[in-house]
Amino acid sequence: MEHYMMNLTLKVWRQKNANDKGGFESYPVKNISSEMSFLEMIDVLNEELIRDGKDPIAFDHDCREGICGACSMYIDGRPHGPWEQNTTCQLHMRAYKDGDTITIEPWRANAFPVIKDLIVDRSAFDRIIQAGGYISVNTGNAVDANAMPVEKDKADAAFAAAACIGCGACVAACKNSSALLFVSAKVSHLALLPQGSPERKSRALNMVAQMDKEGFGACTNTGACEAVCPKGISITNIARLNAEFSLAALVSQ
Amino acid sequence: MKWSEMFTSSIGKKLVMSLTGIFLILFLIVHVSLNACIWAMDGGEMFNKGAHFMGSNVVPRILEVGLFAGLLLHIIQGFMLEFQNRSKRRQGYAVAMGSKGSKWYSRSMGILGSLILIFLVVHISDFWFPNRSNQGFLLGEEINLYDKMQVTFQELWVVILYIAGCISLAWHLLHGFQSAFRTLGVSNKKYLALLNATGIGFSIIIPFVFAMMPVSFYMGWV
């Protein structure tokens, strides 16, 4: 792919803290290489802002290789930008051309309050995991890897669900700010494996209860979450969770 | 988990929408089948017999109460969910996501449902209400519903309103049919494919047949 340089205009959401009203600010960015990543482009802008004695744009990032789920930008009306099954850190500037204007917003949901600029508080996801996203294991020596037989199909489906990195793009994309794709991936991942069976029922009930408590909306099966998921988590998991939850609720005391 | 906790959870509320939705889908099959008797070309004799059965037999009259209960539950729960879901994002986006990843009708179930509700108010006051009030709301004398249809559908604007109602229903069903089964927990790809195809067929055929009824009267085909 041919290398080129570009000048862009960024419209970025700036908000000092959770109580600040916030608003958009425009920044011209010059001499951006098509081989830079999106976050490197922001780094360049931030270096300039720091040089000018201004506050740099706060944004979440960690591994910068698409596996941690930290980066969370809503770019031009789509979580993680225009590419399919991609995280913001893996979005590269070859997706843009000279003269483009890019609008960057934080994830929007009551359950994800803005901490600063583009950083939102996603600890609601941690509390959902704490409510049931675990399994019981015996302490002592590690069990032999193949001691427990798992059907190949189920292992594959569980692995596909386990690919969820908890970035919250599903919530950001959903018109109801529903976290059901995230919760269903976590529940499916463990429900499909024998290791997850002791807490199978309480897990579905408790994780959904915690999700509701955190203020996420109800799922209406629009499919927007699946379309933006960087890990391609299928909404079939949501249907599986619906069954897990309903059956667990029906047989519970 | 108590029943009340189950049905007030986010998934429980959707279960209510799903179960009442499937119940209303089943009602549509009964309604469209009976009404199709207008095409028997016998001056409405067969249709009126069917209507008489539905209005005079005690079993359909009891089921009718269940139908209104199910309909009301679907409407009230639907509005509550719509408002609750909308309140979950206090601050919206400057650049809307729009149709990147979802169909417009899947995001517009509240609006489509409201359009159907407006249509239903007109529709029920056109036929059900005059007929039942003539019966004293019990098992009294019915009116000739075939003649009533004949008169009602001479007005062009009524025919257009009914067609618009059927179009709203078609879009509502196109999302609702398959979504209801997903909410019930059908995750098997084989069955989901079958339900998707059935849903598309149902959403097109049933509203089309309904829409052809006022058209047939207006055009003088029956």
Side-chain angles (χ1 to χ4, degrees):
Chain A
M1 188 165 281
E2 203 187 329
H3 172 250
Y4 57 96
M5 303 298 281
M6 67 193 101
N7 296 329
L8 303 160
T9 307
L10 296 190
K11 263 183 75 184
V12 185
W13 182 262
R14 302 302 309 263
Q15 186 173 337
K16 283 192 185 70
N17 53 53
N19 300 320
D20 183 31
K21 203 166 162 281
F24 282 101
E25 293 230 15
S26 285
Y27 301 97
V29 279
K30 294 194 166 59
N31 296 321
I32 296 298
S33 157
S34 61
E35 289 175 358
M36 275 182 188
S37 77
F38 198 83
L39 296 187
E40 282 166 339
M41 181 269 297
I42 307 260
D43 289 338
V44 169
L45 171 61
N46 273 347
E47 290 293 335
E48 256 177 56
L49 290 173
I50 292 166
R51 249 198 318 272
D52 295 346
K54 289 180 187 153
D55 195 21
I57 298 160
F59 64 96
D60 257 333
H61 61 108
D62 188 18
C63 74
R64 294 207 182 197
E65 55 185 24
I67 56 169
C68 77
C71 53
S72 52
M73 291 184 191
Y74 182 90
I75 304 161
D76 286 336
R78 202 175 186 277
H80 293 303
W83 287 354
E84 297 288 312
Q85 291 196 23
N86 192 61
T87 53
T88 300
C89 66
Q90 293 304 297
L91 174 63
H92 281 68
M93 295 314 293
R94 56 180 178 274
Y96 299 93
K97 54 186 193 308
D98 190 40
D100 277 356
T101 299
I102 307 170
T103 307
I104 312 172
E105 301 173 70
W107 282 179
R108 295 288 189 198
N110 299 355
F112 287 165
V114 173
I115 297 172
K116 189 179 181 191
D117 298 339
L118 302 172
I119 299 181
V120 296
D121 180 358
R122 282 173 285 183
S123 57
F125 271 14
D126 299 336
R127 291 188 291 275
I128 293 172
I129 292 290
Q130 282 162 11
Y134 52 79
I135 58 165
S136 296
V137 287
N138 290 323
T139 53
N141 288 343
V143 184
D144 188 66
N146 295 318
M148 214 180 270
V150 182
E151 218 179 324
K152 179 78 168 82
D153 287 352
K154 286 195 175 155
D156 287 349
F159 191 82
C164 168
I165 52 177
C167 66
C170 44
V171 176
C174 177
K175 77 175 181 69
N176 310 323
S177 307
S178 171
L180 216 55
L181 191 67
F182 165 75
V183 177
S184 72
K186 299 303 173 190
V187 167
S188 290
H189 154 211
L190 298 175
L192 288 163
L193 298 173
Q195 288 89 338
S197 77
E199 296 94 355
R200 185 167 173 177
K201 292 195 176 75
S202 60
R203 178 183 302 118
L205 297 179
N206 294 341
M207 289 180 80
V208 169
Q210 188 63 36
M211 172 186 83
D212 290 347
K213 214 156 90 185
E214 297 291 349
F216 294 102
C219 169
T220 49
N221 296 319
T222 68
C225 52
E226 180 186 61
V228 302
C229 178
K231 297 298 157 188
I233 307 287
S234 164
I235 56 164
T236 306
N237 289 303
I238 293 182
R240 187 182 291 109
L241 170 61
N242 289 335
E244 290 282 327
F245 174 86
S246 301
L247 292 175
L250 283 175
V251 299
S252 70
Q253 297 288 330
Chain B
M1 178 172 267
K2 291 185 211 137
W3 290 113
S4 58
E5 289 172 325
M6 178 179 175
F7 286 105
T8 52
S9 70
S10 59
I11 294 181
K13 286 176 194 162
K14 293 295 303 178
L15 270 174
V16 172
M17 293 308 288
S18 153
L19 292 170
T20 51
I22 292 171
F23 174 61
L24 295 172
I25 283 171
L26 291 173
F27 159 72
L28 285 179
I29 299 174
V30 176
H31 190 19
V32 82
S33 311
L34 265 173
N35 279 33
C37 295
I38 59 164
W39 291 304
M41 299 305 172
D42 57 357
E45 200 185 324
M46 192 193 275
F47 172 82
N48 277 336
K49 266 187 191 157
H52 175 66
F53 171 74
M54 295 303 277
S56 60
N57 190 294
V58 80
V59 177
R61 289 305 301 275
I62 291 171
L63 287 172
E64 191 177 48
V65 178
L67 173 65
F68 273 100
L71 185 64
L72 272 178
L73 200 55
H74 193 78
I75 293 166
I76 295 166
Q77 182 76 283
F79 275 122
M80 279 171 59
L81 266 172
E82 181 75 21
F83 290 122
Q84 283 167 1
N85 282 340
R86 278 170 188 248
S87 74
K88 301 296 181 188
R89 181 171 287 136
R90 234 171 277 123
Q91 175 136 24
Y93 291 109
V95 185
M97 213 181 132
S99 290
K100 296 179 206 115
S102 61
K103 299 271 189 277
W104 71 267
Y105 52 85
S106 76
R107 300 192 308 276
S108 315
M109 292 299 274
I111 293 164
L112 289 168
S114 305
L115 289 175
I116 296 169
L117 178 59
I118 294 168
F119 163 73
L120 277 180
V121 170
V122 175
H123 178 48
I124 287 173
S125 50
D126 273 348
F127 299 105
W128 184 88
F129 192 80
N131 191 32
R132 291 288 180 266
S133 68
N134 204 52
Q135 287 184 293
F137 292 98
L138 292 169
L139 298 170
E141 184 76 15
E142 293 154 69
I143 57 175
N144 187 327
L145 282 173
Y146 186 85
D147 289 349
K148 177 86 177 142
M149 280 173 98
Q150 192 99 56
V151 174
T152 308
F153 296 136
Q154 290 313 310
E155 294 272 1
L156 183 62
W157 72 269
V158 176
V159 176
I160 291 170
L161 185 84
Y162 272 67
I163 292 171
C166 292
I167 291 170
S168 306
L169 178 65
W171 288 118
H172 197 73
L173 284 170
L174 201 55
H175 177 70
F177 191 101
Q178 52 89 27
S179 180
F181 289 97
R182 284 180 182 276
T183 302
L184 278 188
V186 181
S187 63
N188 182 311
K189 287 198 178 108
K190 198 168 66 184
Y191 288 100
L192 276 179
L194 197 66
L195 287 166
N196 276 340
T198 311
I200 293 168
F202 191 92
S203 317
I204 297 168
I205 294 166
I206 302 288
F208 176 75
V209 175
F210 271 127
M212 286 319 284
M213 292 170 190
V215 171
S216 296
F217 278 107
Y218 185 75
M219 303 298 285
W221 295 338
V222 289

